[in-house]
Amino acid sequence: MNQWSEYLAQMNRYLQQQDERIKALEERVRTIEKDRKTANQTTIEKIEYNFDQLKIERLDGSLHIGISPEDLSKVEDMSLGQQSALSPYPISQSPSQSPYSEVDSFLSNEAPSLIEQEMRTQKKPNDPQFIQTIIEDIRKQLPTRIAHYERLAKEKGMSETELYHYVTEQVKGEIRDSLQAFFNQEQQKGEKEQ
């Protein structure tokens, strides 16, 4: 009888070990499944447009800010008052009630001097017609770019005042960066041709 109780005790220990091992494996499987579920979830919190990807092939034509090469085939007349096919967002109420007036003022008053400064840096002749062409190309894109940043600001839950400042600063920064990238590329192209 002593043999049977020893055998039963041994079997009991073995079953307990197996039970603990099964529980550990089940916990490991749960952890792996949980990690796998979180790894498969893709979360995109914010998309920023990088202007270092801006590529200008020729000096003539239009300077499109904030448009990818794929979108260039869809470009329509983006003058104020018309909804662009590129912009699924409504254009702000009226120009005087939106960041448009401040950005337009920036284009009229500050952008020409920025362009002239870049032209002087690259020892290019001052060409008022060229400067005006660049400014008009950018001005045509303002409604679309403003609508884009207004949408982002609204998604972030900004107040009207915060929205106004955010949108104007983003668009002005985009214009500065685009102009600088354009002239840097022109300078590099000129150096290659020499």
Side-chain angles (χ1 to χ4, degrees):
M1 189 128 287
N2 200 7
Q3 249 180 352
W4 279 105
S5 41
E6 188 178 313
Y7 176 75
L8 288 175
Q10 187 180 13
M11 285 301 284
N12 191 25
R13 283 191 302 270
Y14 181 74
L15 284 173
Q16 285 177 349
Q17 288 174 348
Q18 293 300 315
D19 188 45
E20 289 173 11
R21 190 168 184 203
I22 289 171
K23 286 180 183 178
L25 289 172
E26 286 175 343
E27 182 60 35
R28 215 168 139 197
V29 167
R30 275 192 291 273
T31 305
I32 291 170
E33 286 176 347
K34 182 181 174 186
D35 290 346
R36 197 166 141 236
K37 284 181 182 177
T38 35
N40 286 343
Q41 293 177 348
T42 304
T43 306
I44 300 173
E45 292 183 19
K46 182 178 177 183
I47 297 176
E48 290 189 21
Y49 191 86
N50 297 317
F51 282 94
D52 57 339
Q53 298 172 355
L54 180 66
K55 184 175 182 182
I56 311 268
E57 290 293 325
R58 298 184 327 209
L59 190 56
D60 61 335
S62 298
L63 174 63
H64 296 283
I65 58 172
I67 298 178
S68 69
E70 296 83 31
D71 291 336
L72 284 175
S73 63
K74 303 175 190 171
V75 172
E76 293 180 3
D77 185 13
M78 289 188 263
S79 60
L80 183 61
Q82 292 183 346
Q83 185 74 20
S84 165
L86 296 173
S87 174
Y89 314 107
I91 296 172
S92 296
Q93 308 82 10
S94 73
S96 63
Q97 296 174 333
S98 75
Y100 183 89
S101 58
E102 183 174 334
V103 177
D104 188 59
S105 174
F106 170 80
L107 272 180
S108 298
N109 300 323
E110 295 178 45
S113 62
L114 290 172
I115 296 169
E116 289 170 1
Q117 180 182 356
E118 287 291 337
M119 292 175 80
R120 276 194 303 273
T121 301
Q122 295 185 16
K123 298 180 175 108
K124 292 189 181 265
N126 188 351
D127 182 357
Q129 183 62 36
F130 174 71
I131 294 170
Q132 196 58 38
T133 301
I134 290 176
I135 290 172
E136 289 307 313
D137 282 347
I138 294 171
R139 185 171 278 127
K140 288 176 185 177
Q141 298 171 59
L142 286 183
T144 305
R145 300 311 301 153
I146 289 171
H148 169 73
Y149 285 112
E150 282 179 340
R151 181 184 56 82
L152 290 178
K154 288 176 183 173
E155 286 175 2
K156 293 178 181 182
M158 293 184 180
S159 69
E160 288 298 315
T161 305
E162 291 171 325
L163 181 141
Y164 178 85
H165 292 294
Y166 172 78
V167 171
T168 55
E169 290 309 309
Q170 291 297 316
V171 175
K172 286 180 187 180
E174 194 172 289
I175 291 168
R176 285 186 197 99
D177 293 344
S178 295
L179 289 172
Q180 187 174 21
F182 172 74
F183 282 106
N184 286 344
Q185 188 172 24
E186 285 300 307
Q187 183 178 16
Q188 289 172 356
K189 192 187 323 181
E191 290 171 358
K192 286 181 184 177
E193 291 174 359
Q194 291 178 355

